[in-house]
């Protein structure tokens, strides 16, 4: 199965990143401090708890011994008992005292001679190693029916003052149930390692097999337990499986008889709460997820409407005025959407209005053009009509007839020229573009215009070097022809002078022609390129309009610009071809 992440916009990605960073960084810091604080705190609490529980375990064990010692002293101080002990050691303990002993959990009564010979034992047990004279209490390994057990005993000399005649040993023989009992009491794993020579062994774990030895402890731990006789707490006790405390059990002569272990297994919640790295990673992960969720929520609330707005604006930019934004929330984005939709509606109206006005203007222009054309044609037609009528009259002599026929020819030629020009304007020929020297059409048109005329002073200042443009020489020559024709007409009756210039400027080349005629009045400037606009009696007003259309068709621009001298100056501008396009 493939999982497709939703495609995120650029803004969405930024918001997501920002939100994640904003949440993640504090989360990292919080995660670090929290893991540090919780784990340290929790570890300390655990240590306290385990240490307390271990102390309770030790007290429990010592309670047996204390009771035994106390009861031993009571008996030893009783003269009647001392007397009976001499006579019948096995019957020494009176019935009433036995009951008290039972209540106190004392189930072992033994009587020894001063040379430590057993005279009486209430239970058939064997002592592994014996206590030493002078000791008042001990924890010893005993065997009962081949099973290892522990005896917590109190030892009292009888009598207590002077040389003892007997040793009275009272105590409790404890089986595995004892450690189970402690486990239930404190909720902690409890093990008792009893000293055997230099080693400590847990006989309860033996169960027929070999007793488990005390796991290897660090040197300083053993030093603290055996020399310092103080408990030692380890976070990786019992070969790393437990977190617990080892407590030395010291007898009255200062020997460490046993080491009791009480501990909690390392697992579950405690492990999580004390493991900094996992906790830190978990909190960071939660931060990341929260950051991502915040980002997604933000993007849904803000970025999606923004996306709608962007689409709307793009559609408007692409001239689709039917665009609208589907947001109707009661907030700033909703206001923006309403404003956008209203703007789109206004643009729609404006576009419709513009189309209507364009249609109107087109019709008006057509009417104007038709009127001008009709006007231009009506004059020569009138002359032709009148001349033809005169030709019909018999009183005309030959010379008059010849004059009338010439007038008819001239006027019909004028109409023909007019129609030709008009056709040029309305349907200009498609230019055949080629890379050309921009001055070439001008030079040719000049040559043609000056042919057969009185000499004209021509000054050329061409500074376009080898620059080339895309153009149709014939069409541009025609445009220059119209401009030069006007110039020559304007200079009639003066010393005619023409100035031809060119220059390359900002990736374009311009060429200008200036005459020394009367120039163009400012007020007629705006109408110069209008079809049929003329100030001449015999003018058609089409020359400049046609030139304008031809230059545009060649990708250039024609304009009347302020002259250097006093006459009229017309300028054409063309984009240059790039070096690589040639
Ligand atoms: P026409 O020459 O038939 O009048 P054009 O379109 O060629 O039509 O010119 C329009 C008008 O522009 C002219 O009637 C004239 O008033 C003005 N004009 C054009 N060229 C010049 C020029 N070189 N000097 C002065 N006026 C000019």
């Amino acid at each position: 199965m493939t999982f497709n992440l939703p495609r995120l916009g650029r803004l969405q990605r930024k918001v997501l990143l920002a939100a994640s960073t904003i949440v993640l960084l504090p989360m990292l810091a919080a995660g670090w401090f929290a893991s540090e604080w919780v784990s340290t705190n929790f570890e300390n609490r655990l240590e306290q708890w385990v240490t307390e529980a271990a102390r309770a375990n030790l007290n429990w064990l010592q309670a047996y011994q204390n009771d035994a010692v106390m009861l031993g002293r009571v008996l030893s101080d009783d003269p009647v008992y001392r007397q009976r002990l001499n006579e019948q050691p096995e019957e020494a303990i009176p019935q009433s005292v036995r009951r008290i002993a039972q209540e106190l959990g004392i189930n072992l009564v033994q009587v020894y001679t001063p040379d430590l010979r057993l005279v009486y034992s209430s239970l058939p047990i064997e002592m592994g190693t014996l206590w030493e004279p002078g000791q008042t209490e001990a924890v010893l390994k005993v065997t009962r029916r081949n099973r290892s057990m522990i005896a917590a005993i109190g030892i009292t000399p009888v009598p207590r003052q002077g040389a003892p005649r007997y040793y009275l040993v009272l105590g409790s023989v404890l089986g595995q149930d004892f450690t189970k009992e402690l486990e239930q009491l404190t909720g902690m794993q409890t093990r008792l390692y009893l000293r055997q020579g230099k080693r400590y062994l847990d006989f309860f774990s033996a169960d027929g097999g070999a007793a488990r030895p005390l796991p290897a402890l660090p040197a300083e731990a053993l030093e603290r337990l055996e020399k310092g006789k103080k408990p030692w707490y380890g976070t990786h006790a019992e070969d790393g499986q437990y977190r617990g405390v080892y407590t030395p059990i010291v007898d009255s002569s200062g020997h460490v008889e046993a080491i009791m272990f009480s501990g909690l297994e390392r697992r579950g919640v405690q492990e999580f709460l004390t493991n900094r790295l996992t906790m830190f990673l978990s909190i960071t992960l939660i931060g990341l997820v929260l950051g991502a969720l915040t980002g997604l929520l933000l993007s849904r609330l803000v970025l999606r409407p923004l996306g709608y707005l962007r689409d709307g604006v793009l559609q408007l930019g692409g001239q689709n005025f039917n665009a609208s934004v589907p947001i109707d929330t009661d907030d700033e984005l909703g206001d923006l959407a309403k404003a956008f939709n209203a703007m789109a509606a206004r643009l729609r109206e404006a576009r419709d209005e513009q189309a209507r006005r364009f249609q109107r203007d087109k019709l008006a222009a057509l009417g104007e053009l038709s009127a001008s054309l009709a006007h231009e044609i009506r004059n020569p037609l009138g002359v032709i009509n009148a001349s033809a009528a005169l030709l019909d009259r018999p009183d005309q002599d030959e010379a008059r007839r010849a004059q009338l026929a010439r007038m008819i020819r001239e006027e019909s030629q004028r109409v023909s020229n007019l129609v030709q020009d008009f056709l040029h304007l309305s349907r200009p020929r498609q230019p055949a573009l080629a890379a050309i020297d921009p001055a070439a059409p001008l030079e040719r048109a000049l040559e043609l215009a000056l042919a057969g005329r009185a000499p004209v002073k021509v000054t050329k200042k061409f500074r376009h070097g080898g620059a080339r443009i895309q153009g149709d020489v014939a069409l541009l020559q025609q445009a220059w022809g119209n401009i030069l024709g006007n110039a020559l007409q304007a200079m009639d009756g003066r010393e005619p002078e023409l100035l031809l210039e060119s220059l390359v400027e900002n990736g374009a080349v311009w060429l200008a022609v200036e005459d020394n005629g009367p120039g163009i009045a400012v007020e007629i400037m705006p109408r110069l390129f209008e079809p049929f606009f003329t100030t001449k009696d015999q003018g058609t007003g089409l020359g400049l309009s046609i030139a304008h259309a031809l230059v545009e068709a060649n990708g250039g621009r024609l304009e009347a610009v302020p002259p250097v001298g006093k006459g009229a100056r017309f300028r054409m501008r063309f984009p240059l071809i790039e070096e690589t396009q040639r």
Side-chain angles (χ1 to χ4, degrees):
M1 194 185 89
T2 52
F3 178 69
N4 286 327
L5 263 180
R7 248 173 60 78
L8 299 176
R10 273 166 295 166
L11 199 59
Q12 246 176 335
R13 276 204 295 272
K14 279 184 198 162
V15 169
L16 205 61
L17 190 71
S20 302
T21 315
I22 290 169
V23 178
L24 182 64
L25 287 180
M27 267 300 180
L28 278 179
W32 179 256
F33 285 119
S35 56
E36 206 48 40
W37 188 78
V38 172
S39 60
T40 316
N41 232 303
F42 194 72
E43 193 71 69
N44 286 345
R45 290 273 158 88
L46 276 181
E47 184 176 343
Q48 265 178 21
W49 177 25
V50 172
T51 312
E52 289 294 326
R55 196 171 298 145
N57 280 350
L58 188 67
N59 288 345
W60 197 255
L61 188 70
Q62 280 174 343
Y64 284 112
Q65 293 176 315
N66 289 348
D67 291 346
V69 169
M70 245 162 32
L71 190 63
R73 283 182 187 166
V74 170
L75 286 172
S76 173
D77 291 346
D78 181 357
V80 181
Y81 170 71
R82 282 205 300 269
Q83 182 61 37
R84 288 185 63 166
L85 194 63
N86 280 335
E87 291 158 9
Q88 266 180 308
E90 68 279 10
E91 294 291 322
I93 308 221
Q95 201 58 37
S96 56
V97 176
R98 262 183 213 180
R99 208 168 299 128
I100 295 174
Q102 244 168 28
E103 289 288 313
L104 292 173
I106 294 171
N107 52 14
L108 177 67
V109 179
Q110 287 185 322
V111 180
Y112 289 86
T113 56
D115 55 353
L116 301 188
R117 191 171 49 80
L118 182 65
V119 190
Y120 168 74
S121 179
S122 64
L123 291 173
I125 57 166
E126 284 168 33
M127 292 272 187
T129 42
L130 214 54
W131 41 271
E132 284 166 28
Q135 245 179 286
T136 57
E137 68 226 12
V139 176
L140 301 171
K141 182 203 161 198
V142 297
T143 324
R144 184 179 180 186
R145 292 188 211 111
N146 284 334
R147 290 197 59 182
S148 295
M149 296 186 136
I150 301 289
I153 53 169
I155 306 141
T156 320
V158 184
R160 291 216 290 148
Q161 265 87 38
R165 294 182 56 197
Y166 293 99
Y167 283 108
L168 178 61
V169 171
L170 298 177
S172 304
V173 174
L174 307 166
Q176 201 170 3
D177 296 349
F178 164 67
T179 48
K180 292 265 155 58
E181 207 175 297
L182 291 185
E183 273 166 22
Q184 270 169 15
L185 195 74
T186 57
M188 243 168 288
Q189 175 78 33
T190 305
R191 287 171 185 165
L192 194 63
Y193 295 97
L194 215 60
R195 192 150 71 92
Q196 291 290 294
K198 285 204 162 284
R199 306 204 310 149
Y200 293 91
L201 299 172
D202 174 9
F203 292 102
F204 291 152
S205 75
D207 238 0
R212 183 205 343 240
L214 182 73
L217 293 181
E220 75 263 19
L222 277 178
E223 170 96 10
R224 187 179 158 86
L225 285 166
E226 292 190 313
K227 297 240 169 68
K229 309 202 170 32
K230 290 207 176 94
W232 179 78
Y233 178 83
T235 51
H236 290 81
E238 297 291 285
D239 296 324
Q241 290 167 0
Y242 289 87
R243 171 183 275 109
V245 69
Y246 292 92
T247 316
I249 295 170
V250 188
D251 69 15
S252 53
S253 62
H255 280 120
V256 176
E257 291 176 275
I259 291 177
M260 188 193 274
F261 170 75
S262 313
L264 278 178
E265 207 174 342
R266 300 182 61 96
R267 64 186 153 97
V269 182
Q270 313 157 21
E271 281 320 286
F272 174 75
L273 287 175
T274 50
N275 189 325
R276 269 159 237 215
L277 187 67
T278 25
M279 203 189 314
F280 173 65
L281 287 179
S282 311
I283 293 175
T284 307
L285 193 72
I286 293 172
L288 256 181
V289 172
L290 280 181
L293 286 179
T294 315
L296 280 177
L297 192 71
L298 264 184
S299 74
R300 275 196 158 264
L301 284 179
V302 180
L303 299 181
R304 184 179 282 190
L306 271 184
Y308 288 146
L309 278 169
R310 187 197 59 178
D311 290 348
V313 170
L314 284 178
Q315 285 192 22
L316 265 196
Q319 305 278 311
N320 176 8
F321 297 109
N322 292 324
S324 80
V325 176
I327 308 173
D328 53 1
T329 50
D330 187 23
D331 53 20
E332 282 83 349
L333 283 168
D335 293 348
L336 203 59
K338 267 181 222 131
F340 177 88
N341 290 338
M343 181 178 76
R346 277 200 303 278
L347 279 173
R348 258 195 316 273
E349 279 164 24
R351 179 201 54 184
D352 295 346
E353 174 57 29
Q354 196 184 28
R356 282 194 294 274
R357 192 182 305 150
F358 180 71
Q359 193 63 20
R360 270 201 311 270
D361 290 356
K362 209 161 68 176
L363 286 175
L366 191 64
E368 232 171 82
L369 207 62
S370 314
S372 305
L373 192 61
H375 177 76
E376 291 298 321
I377 291 173
R378 199 167 52 195
N379 282 345
L381 279 183
V383 175
I384 291 169
N385 208 13
S387 304
L390 283 174
L391 261 182
D392 265 354
R393 293 212 341 223
D395 56 339
Q396 304 292 337
D397 59 14
E398 268 314 299
R400 179 67 177 148
R401 278 176 191 277
Q403 187 198 13
L404 288 171
R406 186 174 44 80
M407 278 171 70
I408 290 174
R409 268 202 312 280
E410 277 178 6
E411 290 305 303
S412 41
Q413 185 61 46
R414 211 174 125 199
V415 174
S416 168
N417 287 348
L418 190 74
V419 170
Q420 192 64 35
D421 283 354
F422 191 72
L423 281 177
H424 267 302
L425 184 70
S426 58
R427 247 186 285 132
R429 212 184 78 212
Q430 202 55 32
L433 296 179
I436 56 165
D437 174 359
L442 174 55
E443 298 265 31
R444 284 203 210 168
L446 184 71
E447 204 179 311
L448 224 68
L450 297 185
R453 289 186 64 104
V456 173
K457 186 181 168 203
V458 178
T459 314
K460 291 181 189 172
K461 289 186 183 166
F462 288 145
R463 279 168 296 180
H464 62 275
R468 290 280 182 278
I469 61 164
Q470 288 275 21
D472 182 324
V473 177
L475 295 186
L476 290 176
Q477 180 188 335
Q478 191 190 340
W480 280 124
N482 292 359
I483 289 164
L484 288 168
N486 280 343
L488 292 171
Q489 272 182 16
M491 295 185 297
D492 240 5
R494 302 168 185 241
E495 288 271 294
E497 269 181 43
L498 283 174
L499 172 64
L500 277 53
E501 282 187 285
S502 75
L503 195 69
V504 171
E505 224 176 40
N506 305 330
V509 60
W510 58 252
L511 296 105
V513 168
E514 184 173 333
D515 59 49
N516 69 342
I520 302 164
V522 185
E523 54 278 16
I524 67 165
M525 273 288 187
R527 305 195 56 197
L528 223 46
F529 298 100
E530 263 179 35
F532 300 110
F533 172 77
T534 179
T535 56
K536 300 171 192 165
D537 292 339
Q538 295 294 312
T540 59
L542 286 175
L544 285 181
S545 330
I546 290 170
H548 191 268
L550 289 171
V551 175
E552 295 264 315
N554 278 269
R557 216 168 66 203
L558 172 63
E559 52 198 356
V561 291
V564 179
K566 287 206 168 105
R569 182 179 175 96
F570 286 89
R571 194 171 75 175
M572 288 187 198
R573 232 178 133 77
F574 300 96
L576 280 179
I577 333 178
E578 300 283 327
E579 219 34 64
T580 48
Q581 281 178 277
R582 289 191 189 170

